[in-house]
Structures are given as structure tokens and as C-alpha cells.
Amino acid sequence: MAQIELDNIQRIFQLGDSQVHALQDVHLRIDAGEYVSVMGPSGSGKSTLLNLLGLLDRPNDGHYRLEGRDVTTLSGDEQARVRRERIGFVFQSFHLVPRLSAEENIALPLLLAGIAPHDRKARVAQALDDFGLAERGDHRPDQLSGGQRQRVAIARATIMQPAMLLADEPTGNLDRATGEEVTRLLEALNGRGVTLIVVTHDPHMGERAQRQIRMEDGRIESDSHPPAA
Amino acid sequence: MMRSRDILGFTTCAATAYPMRTGLMMLAMAIGVAAVVLLTALGDGARRYVVREFSALGSSLIIVLPGRTETGGVGAGSFVTNTPRDLTVDDAAALQRANRVARVAPLVLGNSEIAYAGKLREVMVIGTTRGFADIRNYTVAQGRFLPEEDWRRGSAVAVIGATLHQELFGTEAALGKMIRVGDRRYRVIGVLAASGSGLGMNADELVIVPVAAAQALFNASSLFRIFAEARNRDAVPGAKTQILDILKTRHDGEEDVTLITQDAVLGTFDRILGALTLAVAGIAAISLAVAGILVMNVMLVAITQRTSEIGLLKALGATGGVIRLVFLTEAALLSVAGAFAGLLLGHLGAWGLRLMFPMLPAYPPDWAIFAGLGTAIVTGVLFGVMPARHAATLDPVDALAKR
């Protein structure tokens, strides 16, 4: 059983009178621990696919089984719980809360999960250490460099030890060297068994993934390593 | 599920991160609550002031007015005449026979001119008898009050108020001096101690002469009022019946007088001013409703400002319920803080009011404080519900796309 199973997924947006097929007949299997890059031109549906995988969006038709469980029929609150416990997001624009310190930003998912303050403190301290942010815990996002901000965001995405990490252009707002560093960090996490799915424009970054998916007009155009069967 | 202490911490942080917005919202709430507290303090202060003034008159006082203002049955006399008879000095004298009445004082009232050594002023003249001083609790500072004499005689003596004494005589001794009131001359035999109060009749600016002297001065044979004092508070109803009986007999069986007791007047004023305080509190409460709408507006703006943050919280696994709770808590927190700031402001204002008008006991009543605080917090939360629900239903993908 694959970790992610998408069957016959349709996603249609209504724009005025016309319908836009953001995703058409998408079938996809991704195993636990895979490193997948999703590439394609703007409007090809790769962000929609990522939102769907992250349970931020629902398909108009088709089925999405996550770890064997059909998550398309779950209620909003149950989906929120799955996101909290199984999925980590990394965004192009970091999405840190500006008034909170690095520490507090990393602790947000723990806060939402109702973890006790004592426990929280230990886990956040460990994360700060792991991501080389030990000296920056009490800095607010505007006092951090771009690379540091993205590391805070990645620490936040992984603090709940999710099964998969969804990254939308994670290096899009970073210079080459910093981007390289962030990419290596994500790959290291993948090396420890977390499924990594990266949406990117950058062919250089896309090529580093073991499995590369190309999308066009809402369909999967090519898949470098489609699973057998 | 998120812990309530974490929700409180998170919202406090969010509220303090936007001091301008938070400050404005708290100010609106504070002004509303302060208005309720201050205005009810003013209204209730006025009520207490009037009640206190009336109580100072004495609670066993019965005032007799000529003419009937209350509706009554048809009596034998009502076919004979419908113009009420005047009250006379003899009527007043007759009331002394009533055993439940301790004192009686007839009263003639008029305006005239007082003159001494070339100084001239308008003055209110009261014609009455010895008993009036006891009924009104006047204290004589110098000399003595009117003498005990035949009420129809009217010797040419006068008692003057403290202010008049000051204005006419200055530091000069007044006792024994002749003053002119209207076209008559009186010898000053007493000066009243300064009292300062007395509902319309300020004793400090009065000239008091024997009742017959005042009748001669104003060329009148009737009385303005008769003041009677019952033996004690409990004797008031009995005294009223006796007074009515006596006057009815004297007026050919016609009940053509009205009796006013202190309790009745007091009760009426108490009710009127109580209602007024309530009305004022209601008007002030409208400002709280306005504050509530401002809370809603500010929260909606806050949600627009923090749309991407809401999207993020949802991506991190916050349920709609948690988002709703967070924003509702924020509205409640600001309302509570604003309400208490307003309470402080209102008390400060009431204190200032008491400093400015020392005779006005301007304390806000307890019910107004609870009603003000309660209304503020309830409106704050109520008007916070809609924005909070709006935040909870935001689409996470759209919300995240907002910068």
C-alpha cells in the first residue's frame, strides 16, 4: 500500500462563466519516504495538486487515500487533525507570524495540538539546536535573514514529526547559496524517512529529486519513476 | 485541542501587537462604560440631594393649601359654591385645638423692598408666628424669633436672614435698628443663623414678620399656607383627619383644602428622579451599543490584516472552532479591559463632580456599575461573534495566498 493514493482526481474552478480544469484525471501513487519534485509551467495545476495533498483543498471528484484512509470524506475538523499530525508545510514566503519570536513560531503547531508547556519547551529547544538556530530563538522574523526564516519555517513544519513534508517553491525567495542550503536541509530530513514533495520552477532543484513529475494543463505529463503496477 | 491558557496568551500577544487598534477599541468601550457610570452618578446624586433636602424639612410636617386639587366625591357643599374659601388666621388658630397637632404656623408670603440707611433690595417677606421657627428648625444667631402674641395683633418687629444682615448692616449691629419694608417700618429683633438650604425659600434672604403685620403690608386677609406639625411621624394620618374635620366644619361642610405631607412629596420626587436616572443610564447604554459596532468593525479589519495568519493556522491544523475561539477571546479580552478602564474613568469623573459640587452626593449606584460592565462585555462578545465566524470559515488556500 502506497502512502499517498490519488484516483481519478478532478478539480474544477468556476471563473465567471467558464470552467477551469485545474486537475483532470490525476492518478498518483507515492510511497513513504520518497523524494518527489513536481514541475511544470504556471497554471499547470502543480500548486492545486499540493494543496489537495495537504488537505487544504477538496477535489470535485475522485478519491484521495492517505495511509490507506480515504481523507476526501473527512469533516473539516478531522482534516485539520490529519494536517496537524501527519503533514508539514513549507511555503515560498515562509509564512511566519511577524509578532512572534522564532521560538514561538516553531511552537505554534504544538500549541494548537494542546501539548503541555514543559514538553513544548524541550521540543522547541531541540529543534532550534537541530536547525542551527540556538542563538536566534528570541529573534522576531524581521530580525532574521531569509535562510534563517526558512529554517524556522522548516523547524515548525517538522516539530510534530509529520509523515510528509509539502514544500511550495521553498527556495523561491532565497539567493542561490541559501537556497542550496535549504534544499540540503530538506533532503536530509527526507533521508531520515520523511516523504518530501517539492513544487518548483527551478529545473536545477527539480532534477535533484529521485522522482520527477511534470504537469501540464492539469494532467500529469510525465513521471520519471512511476511505481510498478 | 488548544489549551485555554495558550489561547489567552496567543490573543494577548495579538492584541498588544497592534496597540493603535487595541487602544481605539478599548477607548470606545471605556467611554461607553464611563458615560453610564458618570451619568447615573449624576442622576442618583440629584435624587439623593432632593431626598435629603426634603427630609431636612421634617417628616411630620403637614402643609395646608387652599383649594382642592384631588378628585373627591360630590358633597353637599359642592352645589353651593365652587370657589374655595380662603384660609384665614382664624382657621390656623382653630387647628391648634387638634390634639394630634403639636404646632401650627400660618404663612403669608410676598415680595417687597427692604431698605436701611439708603441701601435697598428686593426681598421675600414671610408673615408667620412663633411656631414657624420650630417647624422649620430655624436657629436664631442674635436676638430672638417672633414673640408669642395674639396672632391678630402684629407688632412691628422683624427677624432677618444672615445674608440680608450681612448686606444691609455689614459689621454694624442690627438688633434694635429700624428697617423699612414696603411702606412700613419694623424693628429688627433677631437675626437667623446662616443655613444655606431650604428648597426655594432660602432662609438667609428672608424677612420674617408677624402674620398680621404681613397681611397689613400686602393688604390681604387670606393665608398662603398653614404649616402644621404632627406630634410625631405616626400621628401624621390622625392629624390630617383632624385638620380636615376642623376646616370642613369651619368652611360650611365643604372640603376645600388640600393637605400635603412630606412623605408623599418625597415619594414622588424619589420616583421621578429614580426614573430619570434609569433613562439617563439607558441613553448612556446606547453608546455601548455603538462601541459594540466599533468592536465588530475593528475585529473585521483585524481579520483582513491577519488573513494569511489565519490561513497558516489552518494549514498547521487549527480547526474552525479554534480560530473562532481565538478571535472571540480577543474581542472579549479587549471589551473587558475597556470596560474596566471605563469604570475607572467613570469613578474618576464622579469624584471630580463631587469636588466641583460638594452638596451633590454623586456616587454611581451599584446596579449601574454592574449593568454598565455587563452590557459592555456582552456587546463586545456579541459583536465579536460575527467576525470570529467569518475568520473560521475562510478558505485556507485563499487565505494563505493573501499577503
Side-chain angles (χ1 to χ4, degrees):
Chain A
M1 180 192 71
Q3 186 179 36
I4 293 168
E5 296 171 288
L6 294 182
D7 284 305
N8 194 27
I9 293 287
Q10 313 280 344
R11 184 69 179 106
I12 300 161
F13 291 110
Q14 196 77 35
L15 280 180
D17 291 338
S18 58
Q19 288 188 333
V20 177
H21 285 255
L23 292 176
Q24 294 189 62
D25 295 327
V26 172
H27 295 263
L28 188 61
R29 296 276 181 281
I30 297 174
D31 284 320
E34 272 197 83
Y35 178 10
V36 184
S37 69
V38 183
M39 287 186 291
S42 295
S44 59
K46 48 189 200 304
S47 285
T48 308
L49 178 67
L50 202 73
N51 288 335
L52 227 116
L53 288 172
L55 296 180
L56 293 174
D57 200 3
R58 286 170 188 266
N60 295 81
D61 198 14
H63 287 281
Y64 172 15
R65 268 186 298 281
L66 179 63
E67 296 172 329
R69 179 179 179 206
D70 190 344
V71 289
T72 40
T73 56
L74 292 181
S75 74
D77 283 2
E78 286 169 321
Q79 287 194 338
R81 189 188 176 84
V82 173
R83 281 201 296 273
R84 195 157 68 218
E85 287 167 1
R86 305 307 297 160
I87 304 169
F89 290 94
V90 177
F91 306 96
Q92 177 177 7
S93 52
F94 322 134
H95 274 300
L96 300 177
V97 181
R99 62 173 183 278
L100 299 179
S101 68
E103 234 166 21
E104 290 164 328
N105 266 293
I106 294 170
L108 263 183
L110 301 174
L111 213 72
L112 291 170
I115 309 275
H118 177 76
D119 234 3
R120 226 152 61 198
K121 221 177 153 87
R123 281 168 76 169
V124 171
Q126 181 64 47
L128 282 171
D129 230 26
D130 289 350
F131 290 89
L133 294 161
E135 309 289 303
R136 297 278 182 272
D138 53 352
H139 286 46
R140 283 206 320 257
D142 56 4
Q143 299 164 320
L144 296 172
S145 72
Q148 285 167 339
R149 287 185 213 183
Q150 197 57 301
R151 274 187 293 173
V152 171
I154 294 170
R156 182 181 62 195
T158 53
I159 192 85
M160 289 290 286
Q161 291 159 338
M164 62 169 159
L165 216 48
L166 303 178
D168 192 355
E169 306 272 9
T171 59
N173 277 6
L174 301 173
D175 62 58
R176 191 149 200 95
T178 322
E180 183 69 28
E181 176 199 337
V182 165
T183 308
R184 272 205 299 273
L185 189 57
L186 289 172
E187 286 168 354
L189 289 165
N190 174 245
R192 278 185 249 151
V194 182
T195 310
L196 178 61
I197 302 172
V198 181
V199 163
T200 183
H201 265 114
D202 178 6
H204 182 68
M205 188 182 180
E207 277 159 20
R208 294 171 66 135
Q210 282 120 34
R211 180 174 172 193
Q212 293 148 29
I213 293 174
R214 273 202 70 79
M215 294 198 64
E216 211 151 319
D217 293 333
R219 296 173 199 276
I220 293 179
E221 192 69 21
S222 69
D223 191 340
S224 65
H225 289 81
Chain B
M1 200 54 205
M2 208 168 159
R3 286 157 181 266
S4 41
R5 258 194 62 193
D6 290 338
I7 290 183
L8 215 60
F10 185 78
T11 50
T12 311
C13 180
T16 47
Y18 303 90
M20 179 78 173
R21 178 173 76 76
T22 305
L24 272 178
M25 192 159 137
M26 276 176 59
L27 188 68
M29 267 301 163
I31 288 174
V33 173
V36 169
V37 170
L38 195 60
L39 288 177
T40 53
L42 199 63
D44 207 53
R47 185 185 65 81
R48 281 191 238 191
Y49 170 73
V50 168
V51 167
R52 197 177 58 194
E53 285 291 300
F54 265 94
S55 307
L57 290 178
S59 57
S60 49
L61 186 66
I62 301 166
I63 302 174
V64 186
L65 284 72
R68 192 167 58 196
T69 54
E70 285 160 22
T71 312
V74 176
S78 53
F79 297 106
V80 183
T81 171
N82 47 17
T83 46
R85 287 164 186 74
D86 290 330
L87 288 170
T88 63
V89 173
D90 289 339
D91 284 337
L95 292 185
Q96 288 181 303
R97 291 202 313 267
N99 60 10
R100 286 176 187 264
V101 174
R103 286 184 199 88
V104 176
L107 193 75
V108 173
L109 193 70
N111 276 303
S112 190
E113 239 172 37
I114 186 169
Y116 174 77
K119 284 176 235 165
L120 205 72
R121 65 160 282 179
E122 276 284 307
V123 76
M124 188 178 274
V125 181
I126 279 184
T128 185
T129 58
R130 166 97 210 141
F132 193 65
D134 299 320
I135 291 175
R136 294 297 311 268
N137 292 320
Y138 286 159
T139 318
V140 181
Q142 298 171 36
R144 56 198 172 82
F145 200 67
L146 298 177
E148 198 74 67
E149 60 175 355
D150 185 347
W151 291 4
R152 271 159 299 193
R153 185 162 163 266
S155 42
V157 294
V159 177
I160 59 175
T163 308
L164 268 185
H165 172 240
Q166 183 66 34
E167 284 177 10
L168 290 175
F169 295 94
T171 54
E172 201 184 327
L175 292 184
K177 298 278 162 49
M178 295 302 285
I179 51 170
R180 188 172 59 76
V181 178
D183 52 0
R184 284 157 192 275
R185 288 161 64 78
Y186 301 89
R187 182 177 304 281
V188 177
I189 57 165
V191 178
L192 294 177
S195 71
S197 69
L199 278 182
M201 278 199 297
N202 187 351
D204 294 347
E205 300 193 356
L206 282 181
V207 176
I208 301 169
V209 298
V211 61
Q215 284 184 321
L217 178 66
F218 296 121
N219 194 21
S221 59
S222 61
L223 295 180
F224 176 63
R225 298 278 188 272
I226 298 172
F227 277 41
E229 193 178 61
R231 295 211 172 274
N232 53 52
R233 211 189 158 104
D234 297 331
V236 169
K240 276 174 78 173
T241 320
Q242 287 181 339
I243 290 171
L244 268 184
D245 284 347
I246 291 169
L247 291 179
K248 207 165 156 182
T249 317
R250 290 185 58 84
H251 290 187
D252 304 327
E254 200 181 339
E255 199 180 301
D256 58 357
V257 294
T258 303
L259 303 189
I260 297 174
T261 54
Q262 226 46 77
D263 287 354
V265 176
L266 204 63
T268 308
F269 267 97
D270 201 21
R271 275 199 302 281
I272 291 173
L273 290 169
L276 203 70
T277 306
L278 210 63
V280 162
I283 292 168
I286 292 175
S287 67
L288 281 176
V290 174
I293 292 169
L294 195 81
V295 167
M296 180 157 77
N297 189 35
V298 164
M299 288 309 294
L300 282 173
V301 171
I303 285 160
T304 313
Q305 274 178 348
R306 275 149 62 186
T307 302
S308 80
E309 179 186 322
I310 294 164
L312 170 75
L313 289 177
K314 287 196 162 182
L316 295 181
T319 57
V322 164
I323 305 269
R324 200 160 53 227
L325 201 60
V326 162
F327 280 92
L328 210 54
T329 307
E330 191 170 332
L333 212 64
L334 295 181
S335 301
V336 169
F340 278 96
L343 188 63
L344 200 71
L345 215 65
H347 271 301
L348 222 64
W351 177 69
L353 219 56
R354 292 197 294 273
L355 276 191
M356 271 200 291
F357 309 101
M359 70 281 196
L360 200 69
Y363 294 93
D366 289 344
W367 63 262
I369 290 174
F370 286 119
L373 285 183
T375 316
I377 292 164
V378 168
T379 44
V381 172
L382 224 58
F383 281 99
V385 168
M386 201 271 265
R389 289 172 65 133
H390 172 64
T393 52
L394 281 180
D395 179 61
V397 174
D398 289 346
L400 275 168
K402 276 260 176 61
R403 294 282 6 241

